[in-house]
């Protein structure tokens, strides 16, 4: 019989907790280590939809990328979103386990997987892990051949799951790019890293206005990369299938499933024609 504790050990061997960032909260979030596990479901986020899917598909453990209680909690009552997730899983005796930045730093992690899909040559971490120098956050490497920024963005649109927000780009669509820096998930904290500054383009998610504006101004002045902002969920969802393959190899007696639920938070977008401002906006000035 495979137990929750056995799955924990397999996860630890694949993505050691010691390699997670200091601020992270990885590991077992809910569940009894002694409970048996026959089926595991992988998802990026622990939300009501993925918790329900785990229960409905008979999974005894939900392995997610994002820790549900990363910022702490004073209550897990079912009156809160996190509490409803915990309540549903506990009632069904479905454990919840998180592998976050410890899963980011490996070769088939969130950044490494996208680097592999783009065929980056000589890919290496942007920031070397403090515990294991063979691992690290982000990836930087060279495309097999130069392409344009616009064509790279279109390639990404075909590689990543489609979301309402699409893909946003800062830079000249016709500009040639070859050296690519990648950080799956939120990556504006790496904008000033030397490997990012020396790249032709930086692909990441959740770029906030002011860091993105500053980076764009530096790029226009020839001092940094063009920017490609993709969905946080979409970039990190690439980890799920290689992670499932790794778990199947580590736990041959356990069925490992991957959720197809898209937990990107945006439901739809309304395109706007570029040009004259809307009538209401013109009236304000």
């Amino acid at each position: 019989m495979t137990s929750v504790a056995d799955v924990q050990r397999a996860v630890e061997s694949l993505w050691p907790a010691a390699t997670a960032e200091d601020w992270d909260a990885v590991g077992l979030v809910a569940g009894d280590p002694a409970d048996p596990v026959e089926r595991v479901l992988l998802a990026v986020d622990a939300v009501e939809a993925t918790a329900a899917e785990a229960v409905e598909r008979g999974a005894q453990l939900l392995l997610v990328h994002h820790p549900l209680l990363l910022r702490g909690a004073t209550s897990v009552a079912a009156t809160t979103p996190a509490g409803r997730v915990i309540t549903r899983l506990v009632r069904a005796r479905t454990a919840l386990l998180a592998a976050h930045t410890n899963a980011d730093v490996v070769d088939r992690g969130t950044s490494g997987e996208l680097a592999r899909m783009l065929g980056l040559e000589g890919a290496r971490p942007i920031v070397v892990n403090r515990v294991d120098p063979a691992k690290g956050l982000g990836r930087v490497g060279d495309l097999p051949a130069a392409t344009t920024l616009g064509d790279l963005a279109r390639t990404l649109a075909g590689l990543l799951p489609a979301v309402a927000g699409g893909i946003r780009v800062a830079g000249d669509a016709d500009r040639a790019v070859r050296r690519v820096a990648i950080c799956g998930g939120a990556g504006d904290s790496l904008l000033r890293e030397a490997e990012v500054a020396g790249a032709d383009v930086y692909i990441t998610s959740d770029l906030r206005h002011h860091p993105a504006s500053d980076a764009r101004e530096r790029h226009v002045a020839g001092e940094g990369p063009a920017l490609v902002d993709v969905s946080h969920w979409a970039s990190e969802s690439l980890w799920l299938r290689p992670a499932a393959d790794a778990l199947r190899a580590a736990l041959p007696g356990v069925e490992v499933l991957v959720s197809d639920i898209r937990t990107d938070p945006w439901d739809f977008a309304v395109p706007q024609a570029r040009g004259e401002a809307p009538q209401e906006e013109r009236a304000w000035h």
Side-chain angles (χ1 to χ4, degrees):
M1 181 195 75
T2 302
S3 66
V4 170
D6 292 326
V7 179
Q8 282 184 272
R9 282 188 284 271
V11 167
E12 177 66 20
S13 70
L14 293 167
W15 310 291
T19 62
E21 295 295 293
D22 290 336
W23 49 263
D24 210 352
V26 302
L28 190 64
V29 180
D32 186 340
D35 279 354
V37 175
E38 296 179 351
R39 185 174 295 132
V40 173
L41 178 68
L42 271 68
V44 173
D45 297 291
V47 294
E48 287 194 65
T50 53
E53 181 184 17
V55 173
E56 290 164 7
R57 298 180 74 175
Q60 293 81 30
L61 189 144
L62 174 60
L63 173 61
V64 294
H65 187 56
H66 291 143
L68 179 63
L69 306 177
L70 177 60
R71 289 174 174 80
T74 58
S75 169
V76 289
T79 53
T80 66
R84 286 190 286 274
V85 170
I86 294 288
T87 299
R88 183 187 289 269
L89 294 174
V90 168
R91 282 176 174 167
R93 297 190 74 86
T94 299
L96 177 62
L97 185 62
H100 191 208
T101 54
N102 50 325
D104 285 333
V105 297
V106 297
D107 286 340
R108 299 294 298 273
T110 52
S111 301
E113 187 62 10
L114 184 52
R116 185 191 69 80
M117 293 169 73
L118 288 172
L120 294 194
E121 298 172 344
R124 58 191 182 276
I126 293 172
V127 178
V128 174
N129 187 260
R130 70 190 190 287
V131 173
D132 185 346
K135 300 175 180 177
L137 292 175
R139 290 294 184 272
V140 61
D142 295 324
L143 294 167
T147 187
T148 66
L149 179 61
D151 283 344
L152 177 61
R154 285 184 280 273
T155 295
L156 288 168
L159 292 175
L160 294 168
V163 295
I167 291 174
R168 302 185 298 178
V169 183
D172 182 350
D174 295 324
R175 182 172 182 143
V177 296
R178 187 165 188 186
R179 176 150 296 183
V180 178
I182 299 169
C183 180
D188 60 15
S189 64
L190 303 186
L191 276 167
R192 292 284 188 169
E193 293 292 333
E195 294 283 18
V196 174
D200 297 320
V201 58
Y202 181 40
I203 303 166
T204 190
S205 306
D206 296 348
L207 287 171
R208 295 170 295 159
H209 174 84
H210 293 295
S213 177
D214 180 70
R216 184 182 185 279
E217 291 300 301
R218 285 187 278 116
H219 173 66
V220 169
E223 299 171 357
L227 304 176
V228 178
D229 189 286
V230 302
S231 158
H232 189 128
W233 168 81
S235 67
E236 295 191 327
S237 71
L238 301 179
W239 170 73
L240 297 177
R241 297 198 184 279
D245 289 340
L247 266 186
R248 292 184 189 109
L251 299 167
V254 175
E255 184 180 7
V256 181
L257 309 173
V258 174
S259 175
D260 289 324
I261 294 176
R262 301 190 177 205
T263 53
D264 184 89
W266 304 107
D267 294 314
F268 64 91
V270 179
Q272 293 176 286
R274 298 183 67 174
E276 189 175 12
Q279 183 67 39
E280 293 83 355
E281 183 178 336
R282 294 200 303 274
W284 294 341
H285 296 284

